[in-house]
Amino acid sequence: MAAPAGPPSRKGSLAPPAAALLLGEPQPSHAVRVAVGEACGLKGSKSDTPVTVVHAEFNGVLLGESSKVDVLPDGTAEYNFTTSFEYSPDGPNSLDSIAQSPVLLTVTEVLPKEKRQKEEKTVPLGQAVVDLLPLLQGQCSFKVLAPLYAVPTSPLESLPPEAKCGLEVTVCVQEPLLSATQLSNGNLLSVTLEAAYSVPEAFVPTGPLQNYMACLQVPAVGEREFPLLFKNGVPKLGGEKEPLPRPKKWPLGNIMAPGALSIPSSFIVGGPYEDEDGELNRREDREFRIQSESVKKRIVWDMERRCYLDPAAVLVLQNRIAECCYWPVEVCRMPVVSSSKGKNSKTDKGDDDGQIFFHGVAYVNMVPLLYPGVKQIRGAFRVFAYKDSEVFEKTKNQHSVFRDLKPQISLIKEGQWVPGIGSPLSRAVPSRIQREDKEKITKDKESGRKQYVEAGTFLVMEIKLEKALVPKRLPEELTRRVKEMIPPRPPLPRRTAGAKKAVEDYHNQITSIAVTILSEYHELFGKQLPDRGAINHQTLEEQKCQLNFELNSSGKYFAFKEQLKYVVVKIVREKYLKTTAFESLEQFQAFLSELYVYLVDQMHVALNQVLSEEAAAPTPPSCTTDEQLWLFAREAQVSKDYKLASLYHQQRVARDQHNIQYWLDYGAFCLLLEETIKAQECFREALRLDPHHVQSLLLCGIVAVTLQRYEEAEIFFEDASCLEPSSVVVWTLSGLFYELQNNNIRAEMAFREANKLLQAQLAMERSIPEAAEGEGRKKQISAQCGRPLNPCPEASLPEEVEDSAASVVPEEDATAQQNRKPKNKEAAPKAPPPVSGLSRPPCTIFMKTVEFLMKVNAIQFVHMALAHELLSLQGGPSCDYYLALAQTYLLKEDFSKSEECLREAIRLDYVNPNVWAQKGHLCYLKGDLAEAKGCYERTVSFVVDAAEMHFVYLRLGSIYLEEKEYGMAKQTYLLACRNSASCLTWLGVGIACYRLGEMAEAEDALAEANALNNNNAEVWAYLALVCLQGGRQLESEQCYKYAVKLGLKTAALLQELRAAQQRLGFGDPSFSAEPAQQPPPPPRAATRAAASPGGQRGCEAGQDAAARPASPLRPPGRAGPRAPDRPL
């Protein structure tokens, strides 16, 4: 049976009696129950079978005491003791108390009564601690065997080390202490203060007792601050280094067993100085660190304090770090008040009131906690004199935490000093010495602060989070994505050849040769026939002789023979089944006669088909999709090659003139070039295809405003609001238009309607249950507006655009292929991506409208919406405001204003990958490649991609190529090829592979680039270099010819190409000298034969290519380099 709980030490914290728990009475839902079962390894002071009891204590409150239990001869005892305490979020036993305070179990021996003894004597045997941290990790119950540590002079000290002495403890709660949201979005902060090294000479372990303390404040929700106080530092003389690893200690003062002070499975492990995050981690500081940590005086705490952060507190923590990267950690030394003082102690206390001795401060840079994936920082931090002005300037803190806690920490009495923690000196100090020390302390008060700097004092501490504030993409995920980009190639399809197929191929070749001969005839004699179509026989014979002469002298006759060889061989093998040598010459001649007759007959069949109905040759299918053309247009637009971008847009429209989205994209591009009339034609063409297309109506209204045709614009906006009255963007644009017309009444009405719709959308999102949040977001209209979107509209309505995900670190330290199917009806929006660790600013109607306007390059309306956003915000502009403004300045090439806006955006939302990508673009355009590289690398390291990762990869890869980091360039370009392959991405891969000496992969990548765009001179130039390195003269000359013909503008590349030609002696058809002796071509020569101008390869090359395994960089069935096609 369990004894009733002992008297409470704090009002309201006593748990229900243990007997009631055993009887199964209902417990409060927030009761934490602690059950002590069997004990082992017990031993008494006067007997091996003593009578013992167990006391349970939590957070300084006695929870209860078990009944007396006899220890068995084997050292075991069954207590079956259960007690509990109330968990209260706002009470004394809060989540913070559970995080940093264990349950303390004390086993006490009850000695038998002697004669004339009124009360029983008790002797403590040992103590055990139970860490309640699993309750904050989602567990409802756990069971541990808590080691029982011996109290000094206890008989348990004589037990051998291998003997197991402990208590079996079970902790449980009826319901989890944390909800699902708290568990997933909350965090656990732990701060470990190891020691202060190289302390002033006044810090000596002799003299009166002193309490060495340190404290820092952890931001909580609202204006509250949670102080983490470290007391009872132990002064030590130098001479040896602190051991590693060593256990961390509980911040408790009521533990009698020295071993119980150590936190289970928690150690200080140290590490190289260079890997630390604080100060004094440079190579030149190494000698000072070693000397300070081994020779000089120090104050040792080795103490860990924990603090639970709920989701709101996590956001406040991130905001505080973003606002001010340095946090103050204050240190001081306070005298311990002797409990033996008399009346004079009050006077002394009055004299000391308000004084903080040796008040110093260390500035901890917390920014690394905002790096992706970083969960802890550890390092050394210098201690400076505490000055209010300096602390406020660096940390924005206006109050000293020690001054706020002065009433609590200044009256620490000598009798409350914890054994084994504080100074080991005697507690009794003569009053005369106290008065002398009092005078000395008062005298040293002013100079004490300076001694920290003179001594070079520094704190070594660790700040750790259970989960990183900013998640990081795992290396396994990056590896997986690269593997997905280069999948295993399927086996080559079996060749299905037969007699019918061989005859068809022969007909096709005859047709091709006939058309070519007819073209030669037309070139020689023209297409016009004489009168009545009659031709003189003699004239016909002369023309025939002249045509034969031209075909023979030009070599075309022999080319025709070679062209027919392959198909004739197929007929011999497939129709006549002749695959072996003939037995006799007569048999061979007979077969030739039969074959000749058959071929002539089939030639007549083919010619009759040609002459009867001469059909135009079919247009070869394009190897680029509409999405790729849009990507190529975006690449040309970003590179400011507007002529090429316009060509790509025109090609998209030419392919499908009934696609509304193609017209809208082309019109948005024209708006960027300020070609308003052309943009108006595009938008009106889209509106002609669908008069009820809301986005087309809005764009027509925007163009009408630009052309100052306000009556037309009003019709467009009003029609849009009638067709889609539930659109926030429609009402907001209407309000902006009416305000431009000074129609304040209608403008106010439109803005009010837009705000009402937005609030309804936000309320609908908040009403979705958390458990179904991921699935529910796919069924609702996204009301997120904080991230810039992909430049491709997803659907017909502005709200239905897809929010491109965004996730790096403060300054100190695309995917462009989208589902672009046009939709005339409402589309199902996709689930919004994970947001950054910071809470996103309130969504406003103007920022939603800015998203839409930035996509269509309506800069005039963007500035109008941003002006309203600036006026409507109560707490100042948001990160998205500055980001949008920076993008507009960047379009105008106003780099200074753009940089200023991006600086503010980073300050407000440091984990927004779009901000860092935009800053990288800014630095890239300014020519600051080093800064651009850092910004791009931060962008790539985020878990969530920026809006336009394609251009981040392209420019980052070009920087790597510029800095000759070819391996990194290759991997970066491959990442770009993964989601949005283009000529430029494969060209980057090819250049990197060529520079790395990987010629086979370089040729494969360049072939991919050539297949996507065979009008890129740089691709042909690098193909020429690859062919030169492979000793393939004909192919190198062809590639060089096309590179020059297409106007290669890169002087350095052209110079490198010509130098290689001069060195090898071939590659340029204009060489007059005999080419140098070439090495024999490698086996890949046939497989990579350069394409003829028609884009066709020889039959031998095709056979060798089929026999060779496909390269991992080239999709199956893709041919080698093609000659440039005529532009559409």
Side-chain angles (χ1 to χ4, degrees), residues 862-878:
V862 168
H863 286 292
M864 294 170 59
L866 289 178
H868 273 277
E869 174 73 9
L870 186 61
L871 294 175
S872 65
L873 290 177
Q874 298 280 342
S878 63

Side-chain angles (χ1 to χ4, degrees), residues 85-106:
F85 64 89
E86 284 279 343
Y87 154 69
S88 176
D90 300 323
N93 299 329
S94 62
L95 291 177
D96 291 326
S97 301
I98 295 176
Q100 66 182 351
S101 299
V103 174
L104 181 62
L105 302 173
T106 305

Side-chain angles (χ1 to χ4, degrees), residues 162-179:
E162 64 273 8
K164 292 184 179 181
C165 185
L167 296 176
E168 189 180 85
V169 183
T170 302
V171 180
C172 63
V173 291
Q174 291 186 3
E175 297 179 358
L177 298 184
L178 301 179
S179 64

Side-chain angles (χ1 to χ4, degrees), residues 876-1063:
S878 63
C879 169
D880 303 303
Y881 168 85
Y882 284 113
L883 180 58
L885 192 59
Q887 290 174 338
T888 60
Y889 286 134
L890 197 61
L891 289 175
K892 298 179 181 179
E893 298 187 355
D894 192 344
F895 297 146
S896 59
K897 291 184 179 180
S898 180
E899 184 176 7
E900 182 180 351
C901 294
L902 289 175
R903 189 183 304 114
E904 291 296 321
I906 291 175
R907 181 182 64 82
L908 294 172
D909 190 357
Y910 47 88
V911 294
N912 190 332
N914 291 310
V915 177
W916 288 102
Q918 199 66 29
K919 184 178 180 182
H921 296 330
L922 172 65
C923 297
Y924 185 88
L925 294 177
K926 290 171 57 178
D928 189 357
L929 298 185
E931 184 69 17
K933 175 183 174 183
C935 295
Y936 288 147
E937 287 177 341
R938 290 187 177 107
T939 305
V940 173
S941 68
F942 279 114
V943 172
V944 182
D945 288 338
E948 294 183 339
M949 288 299 297
H950 181 79
F951 301 104
V952 173
Y953 288 137
L954 277 181
R955 289 179 169 175
L956 180 59
S958 66
I959 294 174
Y960 283 140
L961 290 179
E962 185 74 19
E963 297 180 355
K964 299 182 178 180
E965 298 182 23
Y966 301 122
M968 294 297 297
K970 176 183 176 182
Q971 295 301 322
T972 304
Y973 279 118
L974 285 176
L975 286 175
C977 296
R978 165 65 176 85
N979 293 322
S980 51
S982 68
C983 173
L984 297 183
T985 59
W986 283 115
L987 173 61
V989 176
I991 295 174
C993 292
Y994 175 77
R995 300 302 180 189
L996 291 171
E998 301 171 355
M999 296 301 168
E1001 293 190 354
E1003 185 175 0
D1004 289 331
L1006 292 172
E1008 290 293 328
N1010 181 266
L1012 293 173
N1013 181 11
N1014 62 347
N1015 288 277
N1016 191 305
E1018 195 171 351
V1019 174
W1020 287 106
Y1022 275 101
L1023 279 171
L1025 285 173
V1026 171
C1027 294
L1028 284 172
Q1029 298 297 331
R1032 291 137 60 184
Q1033 178 176 353
L1034 177 60
E1035 297 172 358
S1036 64
E1037 290 180 355
Q1038 287 182 337
C1039 294
Y1040 174 72
K1041 176 183 66 175
Y1042 289 124
V1044 175
K1045 182 178 179 181
L1046 293 170
L1048 181 62
K1049 299 178 181 179
T1050 309
L1053 179 58
L1054 185 59
Q1055 183 179 0
E1056 179 184 2
L1057 180 57
R1058 289 175 176 171
Q1061 292 171 347
Q1062 293 289 344
R1063 184 177 67 256

